Amino acid sequence: MARKTVKRVKTGSLERRFSLARAGFLAGARYATASAGTLFSAPDKREERRKAILSQRAEELVAELGELKGSVVKIGQMMALFGEHFLPEEVTTALHSLENDTAALEWPAMERHLKQQLGTVKLAELEVDPEPLGAASLGQVHRARRKKDGRELVLKVQYPGVADAIDSDMRALVRLLKLSRLVPITDQFNQWLGEVRAMLGREVDYDLEAHTTRHFREALREDPRFIVPEVFSEYSSHNILCLSYEEGLHISDPKVVALSQERRNFLGRAIMELCCREVFEWNKMQTDPNFGNYLLQIDEDGHDRIVLLDFGAIRDFDDEVLGPGREMIRGAWYHDTERLVRAMKALHFLSGDPPRRVQEDFAGLCFEAIEALQDPDRFPPPASVINEKGEYLWGESNLPSRVLNRASRNALSVHFDVPPKEFIFLLRKLLGAYTFLHVIKAQVRGDTILGPFIHMHEDDDKARVDQQLSESAKKS
């Protein structure tokens, strides 16, 4: 089936503002009109009717956003991923429907863009497939071949004008949300908008992505389990990233699940160890651990490898920030509620001095979140997810959904501030790795993965938490 295409991307500020304002005004007017109608509903049906109306208006608004492409779609996707703590459930559900695989820019327009970016001479060295491999909100990917040696490449091409439209899109989206009356514009919401803006800026910075890709390629050069694409600078620009083309299967491919248990365990262990290295060694974290960023190369001899893709969402953290995050992991690892709470206060996650019950509830959430990485003899998980070898049965576990449900309940407490972005990134990183192992039905003892990393920087991280708490006490 042919991919849907568009002749151009709306990037003009006036044009995009008009489209957004129109969408917001219509959604707000319809919501107000329909909400008035609920006054005539039976009292016991009123809240149910209000939620249904909110859901419908949010879906209509999201449909309008999807037509614009560019940063506004990506903003919506990021808000869906990180906004559960301040957006109505009906709104986040609708935002999750913003598909990343969207209409592509027609080839004549894309070809003109490539010539402008690379120049006619450089582009003539390549044979570019006019049909994109994929199209997303910020750009699309084309397969290419270097004519002189047949080297297979991919061109990740950012849509014209997308980076320049980010700030105007952010301002217009806030106005849209106000007009739509679907989202309360609070200080919490504005804090997260700032973080979304920063994340989006990194995603359109292809020079930074090229640098980060090279960093990971070098860091994993001696690890035969991973493949990181090579960057070809001669065919790259501020808006184009040229990489080596890497074959592979999606992790949900039936061929992957059909692999022997031993081979699937090998792949699962590799992903969890990569997650630990990001947090404990490199202070660099892939904050968008979705399945589209991985491919699996299945070798006939059993030497399977994981292809790592898309380093645009890599985030650097310094020890001042990630240290307390690692201390939270250790507090959960040791089932040490006091240590966990101290780390949370250092991250400014807890307000004041919450009741012991609140502290223990959240500690219980964190203990549960790493049940798969605990020593099963000391802290046994549910019997249904452990085998006789003490291996965690990832395919039988519903741990990610259990953790998210429990986290949502904890977030309602008045004693918790908006979760710091570092906590959200850590949680998403962990749950992303968990879901990978769940899909391939791995059976691995998690304590043998986390154990070698848990003591890295431990003394420094503890001292950092003590210092931050002491400084906070002086200020108060």
Side-chain angles (χ1 to χ4, degrees):
M1 186 171 122
R3 181 185 294 274
K4 181 182 176 183
T5 61
V6 294
K7 294 182 183 296
R8 66 187 184 90
V9 178
K10 294 180 183 178
T11 54
S13 178
L14 178 63
E15 184 178 24
R16 290 173 75 79
R17 283 204 307 268
F18 177 78
S19 297
L20 286 165
R22 174 182 172 276
F25 177 77
L26 289 176
R30 289 169 182 160
Y31 181 52
T33 302
S35 295
T38 64
L39 297 175
F40 300 99
S41 302
D44 59 335
K45 298 288 185 181
R46 202 167 291 164
E47 180 62 14
E48 181 182 336
R49 173 71 176 150
R50 187 197 66 80
K51 288 187 175 184
I53 292 168
L54 180 58
S55 179
Q56 184 178 349
R57 295 292 83 81
E59 288 170 6
E60 291 171 356
L61 190 62
V62 164
E64 293 279 354
L65 294 182
E67 291 296 316
L68 284 174
K69 297 179 74 68
S71 62
V72 74
V73 174
K74 194 67 178 182
I75 293 166
Q77 292 170 336
M78 289 178 172
M79 286 170 61
L81 289 171
F82 297 104
E84 287 90 347
H85 299 282
F86 51 77
L87 295 179
E89 180 183 358
E90 295 78 12
V91 175
T92 55
T93 299
L95 287 171
H96 273 299
S97 70
L98 278 170
E99 291 292 336
N100 205 37
D101 189 26
T102 58
L105 190 62
E106 285 185 351
W107 174 244
M110 180 56 64
E111 186 177 28
R112 287 194 299 273
H113 185 47
L114 288 171
K115 287 180 180 178
Q116 290 171 355
Q117 291 294 313
L118 298 180
T120 305
V121 175
K122 276 294 177 188
L123 185 60
E125 296 177 8
L126 304 176
E127 184 180 299
V128 184
D129 187 348
E131 183 68 24
L133 288 172
S137 54
L138 302 178
Q140 59 197 54
V141 178
H142 286 262
R143 193 166 176 176
R145 185 181 65 85
R146 188 162 58 184
K147 294 176 182 177
K148 69 177 183 181
D149 59 4
R151 184 66 188 266
E152 295 288 341
L153 308 170
V154 292
L155 297 174
K156 181 177 178 180
V157 187
Q158 190 177 125
Y159 292 129
V162 162
D164 296 333
I166 290 175
D167 287 326
S168 61
D169 276 355
M170 289 290 293
R171 289 191 297 269
L173 187 60
V174 172
R175 286 194 293 269
L176 173 149
L177 292 172
K178 288 180 179 177
L179 283 169
S180 70
R181 310 182 192 183
L182 299 180
V183 176
I185 309 299
T186 63
D187 289 342
Q188 296 176 346
F189 179 75
N190 288 328
Q191 288 174 27
W192 270 102
L193 275 183
E195 180 57 31
V196 168
R197 171 62 183 89
M199 288 191 290
L200 199 53
R202 287 189 291 273
E203 289 223 12
V204 298
D205 188 343
Y206 282 10
D207 295 323
L208 176 61
E209 184 173 351
H211 172 77
T212 307
T213 303
R214 292 190 188 97
H215 171 88
F216 272 80
R217 182 176 169 84
E218 178 61 26
L220 293 168
R221 186 166 52 87
E222 301 297 330
D223 193 330
R225 300 173 299 177
F226 297 100
I227 296 174
V228 177
E230 180 181 354
V231 177
F232 288 79
S233 300
E234 61 269 41
Y235 304 115
S236 299
S237 73
H238 293 308
N239 303 113
I240 295 175
L241 182 59
C242 181
L243 303 164
S244 57
Y245 174 75
E246 306 294 344
E247 294 272 7
L249 302 174
H250 191 271
I251 73 164
S252 60
D253 191 290
K255 293 178 183 176
V256 175
V257 181
L259 292 173
S260 68
Q261 188 66 59
E262 181 182 6
R263 291 172 71 175
R264 283 182 280 127
N265 292 350
F266 173 84
L267 294 170
R269 175 177 286 276
I271 282 294
M272 280 304 308
E273 286 184 3
L274 178 65
C275 176
C276 290
R277 293 193 72 182
E278 290 182 21
V279 175
F280 286 90
E281 281 189 42
W282 298 333
N283 284 26
K284 288 181 181 287
M285 198 185 306
Q286 167 62 278
T287 59
D288 184 21
N290 72 70
F291 292 164
N293 293 338
Y294 306 106
L295 292 175
L296 302 180
Q297 291 189 359
I298 306 304
D299 186 82
E300 291 182 0
D301 297 327
H303 300 124
D304 307 319
R305 305 176 78 185
I306 302 171
V307 181
L308 303 177
L309 303 172
D310 195 350
F311 293 86
I314 295 292
R315 175 75 185 271
D316 286 287
F317 295 93
D318 59 38
D319 285 323
E320 295 300 316
V321 167
L322 201 51
R326 288 191 291 254
E327 272 295 279
M328 282 189 69
I329 294 174
R330 295 188 190 99
W333 166 267
Y334 293 117
H335 278 220
D336 186 337
T337 299
E338 182 179 354
R339 186 170 185 174
L340 187 58
V341 169
R342 286 177 62 81
M344 289 168 62
K345 287 183 176 179
L347 279 173
H348 307 293
F349 196 171
L350 279 176
S351 298
D353 189 18
R356 185 68 182 175
R357 176 188 57 79
V358 172
Q359 297 181 28
E360 290 176 350
D361 282 350
F362 192 82
L365 162 66
C366 294
F367 299 161
E368 185 174 21
I370 69 164
E371 73 174 26
L373 303 176
Q374 296 277 16
D375 180 344
D377 296 323
R378 290 177 60 214
F379 306 111
S384 60
V385 294
I386 197 88
N387 66 18
E388 66 281 356
K389 300 177 184 176
E391 296 169 332
Y392 195 81
L393 307 179
W394 300 83
E396 305 300 320
S397 175
N398 65 342
L399 182 58
S401 60
R402 276 193 279 133
V403 170
L404 287 175
N405 288 336
R406 191 165 178 175
S408 297
R409 293 196 302 271
N410 275 272
L412 297 176
S413 171
V414 297
H415 298 284
F416 291 100
D417 289 331
V418 177
K421 53 186 177 293
E422 295 78 23
F423 173 78
I424 299 294
F425 291 147
L426 273 173
L427 184 61
R428 284 201 70 221
K429 184 71 195 174
L430 200 58
L431 295 182
Y434 283 3
T435 306
F436 186 105
L437 273 74
H438 173 79
V439 171
I440 66 172
K441 300 181 179 179
Q443 298 179 9
V444 180
R445 275 189 69 132
D447 62 316
T448 63
I449 298 174
L450 181 56
F453 295 93
I454 200 72
H455 299 297
M456 289 183 178
H457 313 293
E458 186 169 9
D459 290 340
D460 289 340
D461 290 345
K462 288 172 68 175
R464 201 165 280 115
V465 167
D466 291 342
Q467 179 182 356
Q468 291 180 20
L469 291 178
S470 175
E471 291 174 355
S472 296
K474 290 176 182 177
K475 291 177 183 178
S476 60

